[in-house]
């Protein structure tokens, strides 16, 4: 017999940090990728951008906290040219207990490219979190990631991976299919829509207890740390960007289906909370 206990993956503080990281990266990189190199006049020039965003349902691949929090954050971006950038985003969490509580700031530095056949993005992330009792010591300290897309006439294929470091290393991978639609009106309003379907996978770490009989009728408890690489979720997205001049309006409705939720048999209150859910991210951004 065996049971699962003490999963560090689902500690409230650890989950909160994952929400913060995933939210900020999700909102920034999709619009940036959709509109990358659209404006040839800005190539080779420094550009500063300010944005503000709202997320209706913070989740980590469909895993949610018990309060089903929402998120709000401003973001500042500095592009040194059309490829290299840095950005920072303070994140505020809102729920029935905390009203727009400051949770931490995520800083990112990266390199992005796009041509007729390929698009890609490689980046490093450093989170800075509030030093309080809600945040466990196994906080996410850094992340390195990269993604590449093969661009074709009918479908774009995206694949990528990441390494997260807290008290241990976690590894993630993603694959997706998408198709980009771009329209431009006579008054120079650019509309970009990119329906996508993604599969997300990653490592899960937990403690496993089992009982072995060293002598007839005398069980001995054996505890071991287990790491498994599993599919974490399936997700459908409909990123939309409306751009005119230096202003962008961003909407990203999404539907996520979590997979491989960890069940802790003797502590049901600590089992991962996950469910199929619809959520939306909306925001606006201006360039200077």
């Amino acid at each position: 017999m065996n049971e699962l206990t003490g999963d560090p993956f689902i500690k409230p503080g650890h989950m909160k940090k994952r929400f913060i990281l995933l939210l900020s990266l999700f909102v920034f990189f999709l619009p940036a990728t959709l509109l990358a190199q659209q404006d040839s006049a800005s190539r080779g020039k420094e550009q500063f951008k300010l944005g503000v965003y709202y997320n209706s349902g913070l989740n980590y691949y469909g895993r949610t906290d018990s309060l089903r929090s929402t998120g709000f954050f401003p973001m500042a971006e500095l592009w040194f040219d059309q490829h290299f950038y840095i950005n920072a985003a303070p994140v505020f969490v809102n729920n029935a207990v905390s009203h727009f509580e400051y949770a931490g700031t995520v800083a990112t530095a990266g390199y992005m490219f796009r041509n007729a056949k390929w698009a890609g993005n490689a980046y490093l992330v450093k989170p800075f979190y509030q030093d309080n009792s809600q945040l466990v010591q196994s906080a996410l300290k850094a992340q390195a990631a990269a993604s590449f897309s093969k661009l074709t006439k009918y479908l774009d294929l995206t694949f990528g991976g990441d390494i997260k470091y807290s008290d241990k290393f976690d590894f993630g991978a993603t694959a997706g299919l998408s198709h980009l639609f771009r329209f431009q009106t006579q008054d120079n309003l650019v509309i970009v829509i990119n329906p996508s379907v993604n599969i997300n996978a990653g490592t899960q770490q937990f403690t496993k207890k089992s009982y072995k009989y060293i002598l007839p009728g005398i069980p001995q408890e054996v505890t071991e740390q287990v790491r498994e690489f599993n599919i974490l979720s399936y997700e459908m997205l409909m990123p939309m960007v409306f751009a005119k001049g230096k202003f962008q309006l961003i909407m990203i409705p999404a539907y996520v289906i979590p997979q491989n939720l960890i069940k802790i048999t003797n502590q049901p209150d600590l089992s991962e909370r996950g469910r199929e859910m619809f959520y939306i991210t909306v925001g606006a951004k201006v360039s200077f």
Side-chain angles (χ1 to χ4, degrees):
M1 57 181 296
N2 61 75
E3 57 188 6
L4 305 180
T5 62
D7 177 23
F9 181 87
I10 61 171
K11 288 181 180 178
H14 201 173
M15 184 68 77
K16 188 176 183 180
K17 295 178 179 64
R18 293 173 184 267
F19 289 157
I20 296 170
L21 180 66
L22 193 64
L23 173 63
S24 58
L25 297 182
F26 175 76
V27 173
F28 171 70
F29 289 124
L30 275 176
T33 301
L34 295 183
L35 292 175
Q37 299 184 350
Q38 294 288 340
D39 184 5
S40 59
S42 65
R43 294 185 179 184
K45 296 182 180 180
E46 291 185 359
Q47 195 171 32
F48 181 68
K49 301 180 181 182
L50 285 176
V52 61
Y53 305 90
Y54 167 80
N55 182 286
S56 67
L58 295 181
N59 71 92
Y60 180 76
Y61 301 120
R63 292 145 175 84
T64 64
D65 61 14
S66 59
L67 299 174
R68 298 183 180 178
S69 302
T70 61
F72 167 83
F73 63 99
M75 180 179 287
E77 306 171 32
L78 177 61
W79 289 78
F80 299 97
D81 54 25
Q82 76 270 28
H83 298 300
F84 293 97
Y85 61 87
I86 57 174
N87 69 68
V91 182
F92 301 85
V93 175
N94 185 57
N95 52 50
V97 176
S98 303
H99 298 287
F100 293 100
E101 174 190 0
Y102 172 71
T105 298
V106 179
T108 307
Y111 175 88
M112 183 179 293
F113 74 92
R114 184 182 183 93
N115 55 43
K117 295 183 178 181
W118 291 93
N121 189 19
Y123 53 91
L124 297 173
V125 179
K126 175 60 180 175
F128 301 91
Y129 300 106
Q130 286 286 78
D131 184 17
N132 58 53
S133 60
Q134 293 182 351
L135 302 182
V136 297
Q137 293 181 351
S138 59
L140 182 67
K141 296 180 176 65
Q143 180 187 19
S147 64
F148 300 91
S149 297
K150 180 66 175 72
L151 309 178
T152 70
K153 182 177 180 181
Y154 300 104
L155 284 176
D156 298 335
L157 173 63
T158 299
F159 52 92
D162 69 84
I163 302 174
K164 306 179 186 73
Y165 175 69
S166 53
D167 54 340
K168 299 179 181 179
F169 285 99
D170 279 304
F171 303 91
T174 185
L177 292 173
S178 63
H179 181 77
L180 189 144
F181 299 91
R182 186 181 187 277
F183 311 94
Q184 185 167 353
T185 65
Q186 292 182 349
D187 58 352
N188 292 323
L189 172 65
V190 177
I191 302 172
V192 181
I193 303 174
N194 191 34
S196 309
V197 178
N198 296 332
I199 300 176
N200 302 300
T203 53
Q204 294 175 295
Q205 301 184 41
F206 52 89
T207 300
K208 182 178 180 180
K209 286 183 179 180
S210 60
Y211 296 88
K212 298 181 179 179
Y213 289 91
I214 56 175
L215 293 173
I218 303 178
Q220 180 181 24
E221 182 179 282
V222 177
T223 302
E224 60 179 329
Q225 296 294 323
V226 178
R227 173 186 287 180
E228 295 181 352
F229 190 90
N230 293 315
I231 293 176
L232 298 178
S233 72
Y234 303 109
E235 191 160 19
M236 292 166 284
L237 309 162
M238 184 71 76
M240 294 176 283
V241 179
F242 304 85
K244 186 172 183 179
K246 296 183 177 182
F247 180 79
Q248 295 178 21
L249 175 64
I250 299 157
M251 293 188 294
I252 311 174
Y255 189 81
V256 60
I257 305 172
Q259 302 293 308
N260 290 301
L261 297 173
I262 294 175
K263 304 296 184 181
I264 300 178
T265 57
N266 67 334
Q267 301 181 64
D269 291 340
L270 293 181
S271 297
E272 285 188 342
R273 297 181 178 90
R275 60 189 178 91
E276 296 183 18
M277 61 179 292
F278 170 83
Y279 64 99
I280 187 169
T281 304
V282 295
K285 180 161 61 175
V286 62
S287 302
F288 297 91

